[in-house]
Amino acid sequence: MLDYDAEAAAYDATRGGVPRAEAAARALLGLVPESARTLLDIGCGTGLVTERMALARPALRVLGTDASYGMARFARQRIGAVALADARRLPLPAAAVDAVGTVWLLHLLRGAGDVRAVVSEAARVLRPGGVFVTTVDKDAAHDVGSDIDELFAPYLRPSPSDPEELVVAYAAEAGLDVVGENRFLGHGQGRTPQRAAREVRAGHFVSRLELPGAAGDDLAAALLALPEPDRPRPEPEYRLLAFRRRG
């Protein structure tokens, strides 16, 4: 797993920056009713997406939480109302907000019961009729049929933590029903073989790849041997699902 405290300063620049954040914020808000007055962004990271949501809808009070101090520090400079918190135990009372969002979070949760716990917490803090919006199948979105993906294929984890069917099942347990979906482009996420090799060596693919022993070095070498190593491959398209709390 990445050290998000150490990554915080460079995180936005290496993850598509403002264009990617604006695309995510626009797609998420497209699933949140105009009547919503409060939104909690769980795992808000540096707050770049959170800030874009606040700017796009001034009448919406946007809050954030993140488990990384470094990330939360950046987010607090952008939106102010940010708490350092475990997504499985949110520092909010029940039925406190009108909407909850999680963007690029569930795929990182590899502990037993973690995804179920986060979905349950999102449902707990939602008011009846409130909306929970989350990315699903995040790592699968990066499989764009490129030569990089062909090299990744033998190392893919057999069981991602955020497949649609699993998230939908956990949501149903928590009293949440599917009410919509949206998609957005991962601007700046079309990888080059050179970048993919650097990220493999830095351990950036732990949610997607299993690289025991020297497999990481072998994969990085194979990536660097691909033609046009500095040409970006196609950008991923991410999926959001929206759920409404019953009652």
Side-chain angles (χ1 to χ4, degrees):
M1 185 66 69
L2 289 181
D3 181 342
Y4 285 98
D5 288 341
E7 288 279 324
Y11 189 84
D12 294 333
T14 60
R15 300 299 196 284
V18 170
R20 181 178 183 240
E22 286 185 338
R26 186 167 52 249
L28 194 151
L29 287 178
L31 296 167
V32 174
E34 289 289 342
S35 59
R37 289 294 171 262
T38 49
L39 182 148
L40 173 66
D41 187 8
I42 303 175
C44 67
T46 66
L48 193 60
V49 175
T50 327
E51 179 187 43
R52 263 47 211 173
M53 289 192 284
L55 291 172
R57 200 179 288 187
L60 184 68
R61 185 181 180 220
V62 181
L63 318 170
T65 67
D66 203 275
S68 160
Y69 174 80
M71 291 288 193
R73 181 168 58 87
F74 276 92
R76 191 171 291 120
Q77 293 169 5
R78 285 180 163 136
I79 64 167
V82 176
L84 187 66
D86 187 327
R88 299 166 299 180
R89 292 180 291 276
L90 296 172
L92 287 175
V97 295
D98 299 314
V100 173
T102 61
V103 180
W104 306 307
L105 172 66
L106 299 186
H107 72 289
L108 297 172
L109 305 177
R110 303 300 302 183
D114 283 352
V115 173
R116 175 183 269 130
V118 171
V119 173
S120 177
E121 273 293 89
R124 183 185 68 79
V125 302
L126 273 176
R127 297 187 178 110
V131 174
F132 171 49
V133 183
T134 183
T135 44
V136 295
D137 298 310
K138 192 269 185 184
D139 285 331
H142 284 273
D143 188 346
V144 294
S146 71
D147 49 0
I148 294 174
D149 296 316
E150 290 179 10
L151 291 180
F152 277 10
Y155 303 102
L156 292 177
R157 288 186 179 275
S159 56
S161 59
D162 68 336
E164 176 184 357
E165 61 272 17
L166 193 63
V167 176
V168 169
Y170 291 157
E173 288 179 3
L176 300 167
D177 298 317
V178 179
V179 291
E181 73 170 89
N182 216 341
R183 295 174 183 264
F184 63 96
L185 196 64
H187 295 281
Q189 294 298 288
R191 292 192 176 95
T192 68
Q194 288 179 339
R195 175 181 167 187
R198 287 196 304 271
E199 291 179 342
V200 163
R201 286 175 171 153
H204 287 199
F205 293 106
V206 292
S207 70
R208 189 179 184 199
L209 305 178
E210 291 182 337
L211 297 169
D217 291 334
D218 294 342
L219 177 56
L223 288 164
L224 292 174
L226 290 174
E228 301 179 280
D230 58 350
R231 176 179 62 83
R233 277 41 175 181
E235 294 174 326
E237 185 179 60
Y238 300 113
R239 291 184 63 226
L240 289 164
L241 286 185
F243 304 84
R244 181 173 292 121
R245 185 181 172 191
R246 298 174 202 141

